[in-house]
Amino acid sequence: MRNSDRDELDDLIDGALPGYSDASPIEGLEERVLCRIQSAGPPRRLAWPLRIAFAVPALAVLVLAVAVPRSWWNPCRQL
């Protein structure tokens, strides 16, 4: 953008920006955030039904991989 293309909005933005850079954080904000993180405690673990929901399909895949004859899932076999 050339200086000749500037309009009133550009001037308003340029006038407002110096005020934002001088702003300081709210007093005690960092301490409140850290206290909130500490009070939350350790992250929750997955509930046992959700663990089972992941374990059952994984076990089924392992059983099928062992039980199905290799000649059946061989991609190079003749039909």
Side-chain angles (χ1 to χ4, degrees):
M1 174 191 297
R2 296 181 318 212
N3 285 338
S4 62
D5 294 336
R6 295 178 55 84
D7 59 3
E8 185 179 349
L9 179 60
D10 292 321
D11 294 333
L12 287 172
I13 292 172
D14 288 342
L17 287 178
Y20 287 112
S21 64
D22 293 337
S24 61
I26 299 172
E27 190 68 33
L29 178 64
E30 181 181 1
E31 293 171 11
R32 289 195 306 261
V33 170
L34 291 174
C35 286
R36 173 72 179 196
I37 291 171
Q38 289 174 350
S39 68
R44 294 178 56 187
R45 298 178 66 184
L46 292 175
W48 64 270
L50 190 56
R51 290 181 187 167
I52 290 175
F54 286 116
V56 168
L59 182 62
V61 168
L62 288 174
V63 168
L64 284 174
V66 171
V68 174
R70 289 181 189 247
S71 62
W72 185 79
W73 54 269
N74 185 356
C76 298
R77 72 182 174 125
Q78 297 291 328
L79 295 178

